[in-house]
């Protein structure tokens, strides 16, 4: 199992930016998928963005052109740069790491976009 910890959430005004970070408890040397999901109050958890060990990136249509996912050089971190934030981006953001036959979720970090 891999422990996953998110950080970087907070309160930001519409149009602002935040950068979320996700750290795994150990380096991931096998094939993996790392990504971000979010869950707004009263809604289902939804995909935001994923990145694979092969470099393939996928974004939800709602965040294309505004969010950028990237992985760190240490093979145990993934980031989500969020620009041009909108109130509808308000949610708890969860990091997920799929590797070695296991799916590992963090506890989430709150992002609130409000004036």
């Amino acid at each position: 199992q891999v422990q996953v910890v998110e950080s970087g959430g907070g309160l930001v005004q519409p149009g602002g930016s935040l950068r979320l970070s996700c750290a795994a408890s150990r380096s991931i040397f096998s094939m993996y998928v790392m990504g971000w999901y979010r869950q707004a109050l009263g809604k289902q958890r939804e995909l935001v963005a994923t990145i694979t060990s092969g470099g393939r990136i996928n974004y939800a249509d709602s965040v294309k052109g505004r969010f950028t996912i990237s992985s760190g050089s240490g093979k145990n971190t993934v980031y989500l740069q969020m620009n041009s934030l909108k109130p509808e981006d308000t949610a708890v953001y969860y990091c997920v790491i799929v590797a070695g036959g296991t799916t590992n979720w963090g506890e989430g970090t709150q992002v609130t976009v409000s004036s």
Side-chain angles (χ1 to χ4, degrees), residues 29-48:
F29 294 103
S30 61
M31 291 188 294
Y32 63 77
V33 178
M34 296 186 184
W36 294 91
Y37 281 69
R38 66 187 182 187
Q39 188 167 17
L41 196 62
K43 295 188 177 181
Q44 290 188 331
R45 191 173 297 190
E46 64 177 5
L47 169 74
V48 176

Side-chain angles (χ1 to χ4, degrees), residues 71-92:
S71 57
S73 59
K75 299 185 183 296
N76 70 333
T77 53
V78 61
Y79 305 99
L80 186 68
Q81 178 65 44
M82 305 185 294
N83 298 327
S84 302
L85 282 161
K86 305 175 182 180
E88 51 263 44
D89 294 317
T90 296
V92 178

Side-chain angles (χ1 to χ4, degrees), residues 1 9 11 26 30 35 40 44 47 50-52 58 63 68 72 77-78 81 84 104:
Q1 285 290 85
L11 173 64
R26 59 174 176 82
S30 61
Q44 290 188 331
L47 169 74
T50 58
I51 184 168
T52 72
N58 181 49
V63 306
T68 302
T77 53
V78 61
Q81 178 65 44
S84 302
N104 307 276

Side-chain angles (χ1 to χ4, degrees), residues 5-10 19-21 36-39 82 91-95 106-112:
V5 179
E6 306 99 334
S7 61
R19 187 184 193 223
L20 303 183
S21 300
W36 294 91
Y37 281 69
R38 66 187 182 187
Q39 188 167 17
M82 305 185 294
V92 178
Y93 283 70
Y94 296 91
C95 178
E107 294 188 351
T109 185
Q110 177 70 46
V111 172
T112 302

